[in-house]
Amino acid sequence: MLGKLGIEYAKLFKFEYNRLNRNKKYLPRLLQLSSLGAFYNKCNTISFIPSFAMKDKEMFTITARRFIGTLKINGFEYLAYKITSEHDSKYVMSVIYDIQKEKKYKNIIILVDDISRININDFTFGMNQVLILEDVLDNRERLKYLHSINWQRIINKYYKDKVVLAEYSFCDYTDYKNTYVSYFYFLDTEKINRIKQFLRESKNKNADIICSAELEKEIKKELPTARFIIVNLEEYLDKEWNVYD
């Protein structure tokens, strides 16, 4: 934090600095931002831009919007939200309303302290992805490799050449007959909803789900009839990435 002399020094040399926000209600939000910023500070696959640093000040105002910033993961941009144990149900609803009116971003990440508080059916908006994950160090670390899983290797192991990349939105691979395969690295409410709709409209069909053992428990609550293939996804990480702008 800059004191009086520090501010004078910054002004003298024309350094940019942020004024101290004395709103006590805003301090927990600053802690959340600094925590994420520090964790991904020297990460090659993730860059975090806090909400106050986003350029379009008129569109993205801190007081009106609930997002905490954006996470750019291997070139894919996600609008990020945080729901803590201190946030009440009213705040959760405000996050839902906030995402509903989002026009620019089609990928969302919601960090939560307790995933049991989240009703998955409330978090479907017709977007590309809405990822919900508990904000623990292991998940923050795994988030670095969100787009680094070699899913093709997994498909080859369990299906060989029986399926191909799908043109459908509700699955990732299919034989266009009876096999519809979807994979999950984190809980994706949009993908779950698309699979639900498919199964509802095609009662004689089923879905294959590839995921970790931990994730199976959550997805099975929503897709109880699906066939689960449990995989140690860490064994299929391709950690070497080159991202070109």
Side-chain angles (χ1 to χ4, degrees):
M1 182 176 66
L2 292 176
K4 183 179 179 180
L5 289 177
I7 292 174
E8 290 179 2
Y9 182 86
K11 287 181 177 179
L12 178 65
F13 290 96
K14 298 182 179 180
F15 294 148
E16 292 186 3
Y17 69 95
N18 293 319
R19 294 182 180 277
L20 179 64
N21 190 314
R22 298 184 182 278
N23 185 342
K24 290 184 179 181
K25 292 183 179 179
Y26 187 60
L27 292 180
R29 181 184 176 92
L30 286 177
L31 287 174
Q32 296 163 15
L33 298 178
S34 62
S35 174
L36 273 179
F39 191 87
Y40 294 120
N41 183 38
K42 294 183 179 180
C43 178
N44 294 325
T45 59
I46 293 184
S47 59
F48 174 64
I49 301 177
S51 55
F52 61 76
M54 295 170 72
K55 293 181 180 179
D56 195 338
K57 300 295 184 182
E58 294 181 1
M59 181 177 292
F60 299 113
T61 57
I62 292 171
T63 55
R65 299 295 302 272
R66 295 300 187 184
F67 66 87
I68 59 173
T70 60
L71 288 164
K72 192 172 184 180
I73 308 173
N74 292 124
F76 295 85
E77 280 194 302
Y78 293 80
L79 195 62
Y81 291 81
K82 170 76 177 182
I83 299 175
T84 71
S85 55
E86 285 75 31
H87 288 140
D88 57 16
S89 57
K90 184 179 179 180
Y91 184 88
V92 175
M93 289 304 300
S94 71
V95 170
I96 293 172
Y97 294 146
D98 198 84
I99 298 173
Q100 285 175 340
K101 63 185 179 184
E102 175 56 42
K103 302 297 182 184
K104 180 179 179 181
Y105 294 92
K106 298 300 179 183
N107 297 311
I108 307 290
I109 285 177
I110 305 172
L111 301 168
V112 299
D113 285 354
D114 182 5
I115 203 166
S116 66
R117 294 184 61 200
I118 301 300
N119 183 343
I120 287 177
N121 298 307
D122 290 337
F123 284 84
T124 55
F125 310 96
M127 293 189 166
N128 181 27
Q129 289 182 313
V130 175
L131 305 181
I132 300 179
L133 54 146
E134 290 194 339
D135 190 14
V136 295
L137 290 180
D138 283 350
N139 281 341
R140 285 195 182 188
E141 183 67 27
R142 291 178 64 228
L143 199 57
K144 296 178 182 179
Y145 309 108
L146 176 59
H147 296 287
S148 301
I149 298 292
N150 192 325
W151 295 106
Q152 185 61 55
R153 282 178 55 206
I154 299 174
I155 293 296
N156 289 341
K157 177 178 179 179
Y158 291 96
Y159 295 92
K160 300 188 183 298
D161 58 353
K162 295 179 181 178
V163 295
V164 294
L165 277 171
E167 296 179 359
Y168 304 132
S169 63
F170 62 86
C171 67
D172 299 292
Y173 288 83
T174 182
D175 62 359
Y176 289 101
K177 295 178 182 178
N178 301 308
T179 305
Y180 304 91
V181 185
S182 299
Y183 51 70
F184 289 80
Y185 187 54
F186 289 113
L187 196 67
D188 183 346
T189 60
E190 295 288 7
K191 183 182 278 191
I192 289 174
N193 187 55
R194 290 194 290 266
I195 297 171
K196 276 185 180 179
Q197 290 180 353
F198 164 69
L199 296 177
R200 195 178 299 124
E201 296 170 3
S202 308
K203 297 186 182 300
N204 60 331
K205 303 292 185 180
N206 207 340
D208 289 5
I209 305 295
I210 299 174
C211 64
S212 65
E214 296 79 13
L215 206 52
E216 179 194 16
K217 299 174 183 177
E218 296 297 329
I219 299 176
K220 205 164 192 175
K221 296 175 186 177
E222 305 298 323
L223 301 170
T225 63
R227 183 173 79 99
F228 286 85
I229 299 174
I230 308 306
V231 176
N232 181 2
L233 297 176
E234 311 306 315
E235 296 179 359
Y236 295 89
L237 284 179
D238 289 338
K239 293 191 175 183
E240 295 299 324
W241 268 80
N242 293 312
V243 179
Y244 301 95
D245 293 327

